[in-house]
Amino acid sequence: MKEIAYSDRACFYYEETYSDIDHSFLRDMIQLYSIRSVLDIPCGAGRNLSMLAQSCELAMFCDIEDNMVYQVNDRIKTSSLKNCTCFRADINNYHLQDKVDMTIVMRQALQLFPPEKINSILENLLSNTSKILILDIYNYKQNTKIGQIPEYLQEKVRVFKFNNQTIIRNLELEILDEGIMVNYIYQTSINKWKTQFKLYDLSAAFIKQLLGKKKIKKVIEYKDYHFNLRKNENSAIIVIEI
């Protein structure tokens, strides 16, 4: 079966991954903290593009993959979104000319990186943000299975349309010592592909331990996108006030 890379998925990544499950939460955060500018990193193909364009004066998007950046910039141009921009950069090594009010790292994207890289990533995110940083994580190793379980890990089968084709995506999960391996198998009427990516275990306690050494004002933990405060749930939407 042919392997399909992240770069290859860019053409249908928006249709494959679109979800607005966290949009009301992000809109409320923007209002609560009087956010004028925001950076979405990594942005993929622009799942949050329309929402952030409508909610902020300036919306910035960043991804390490050129094909994803192309998709976002194409949507920006097609929709004439004058307050949006997208650029290619590494989350661990980017620099903004002017800090944004808010940076968001949603849907467990931080867990694509091993624990030993998290501290330097946090430092870079914080150095480019002036008000708040939002990290959306899920601790797969915690014994309890409560909280905001990522919906894309609950969908055993997802069906979506692209270029008049129906694509069926099947999910298989492997439990690893250091996290989980996500295996996707895609099938159309004529093609079949597969891809996989690892999500490392990452706990809120570990994040707070790293933040304890940095100059921040406050850390708030929510267990879901409805502003319910976290106690010991697997999910953690961590809001860091800078």
Side-chain angles (χ1 to χ4, degrees), residues 73-213:
N73 279 324
D74 185 60
R75 288 188 171 86
I76 290 172
K77 182 179 179 180
T78 301
S79 302
S80 299
L81 301 175
K82 304 298 184 183
N83 64 332
C84 296
T85 184
C86 184
F87 61 97
R88 181 196 177 279
D90 187 337
I91 192 173
N92 195 40
N93 187 27
Y94 72 94
H95 176 72
L96 302 179
Q97 185 173 353
D98 298 304
K99 293 183 179 182
V100 288
D101 292 341
M102 180 172 83
T103 299
I104 60 172
V105 186
M106 304 304 290
R107 291 167 66 84
Q108 300 76 50
L110 192 62
Q111 291 173 249
L112 291 166
F113 305 92
E116 60 267 23
K117 289 191 175 182
I118 301 302
N119 187 53
S120 62
I121 291 173
L122 280 177
E123 288 182 350
N124 202 48
L125 291 168
L126 291 169
S127 68
N128 286 282
T129 310
S130 63
K131 286 189 176 182
I132 61 169
L133 168 62
I134 301 178
L135 307 174
D136 184 359
I137 65 173
Y138 191 88
N139 186 356
Y140 304 100
K141 284 296 181 69
Q142 195 164 306
N143 290 330
T144 56
K145 297 298 179 187
I146 51 178
Q148 186 75 51
I149 300 173
E151 83 281 1
Y152 63 91
L153 296 180
Q154 299 182 70
E155 291 180 325
K156 296 298 182 183
V157 179
R158 182 174 180 119
V159 181
F160 58 96
K161 297 278 189 179
F162 173 71
N163 277 356
N164 297 319
Q165 283 193 93
T166 298
I167 302 178
I168 302 171
R169 187 190 72 187
N170 290 280
L171 167 68
E172 295 178 1
L173 295 179
E174 296 178 53
I175 305 300
L176 309 174
D177 289 340
E178 65 269 35
I180 62 171
M181 185 70 77
V182 179
N183 296 281
Y184 284 143
I185 298 174
Y186 304 86
Q187 190 163 358
T188 69
S189 58
I190 56 175
N191 290 310
K192 197 170 185 178
W193 316 288
K194 64 178 180 179
T195 195
Q196 65 175 197
F197 57 92
K198 184 187 295 184
L199 293 171
Y200 291 88
D201 284 320
L202 195 59
S203 69
F206 177 70
I207 295 292
K208 288 192 293 182
Q209 180 184 357
L210 296 177
L211 290 172
K213 303 175 184 178

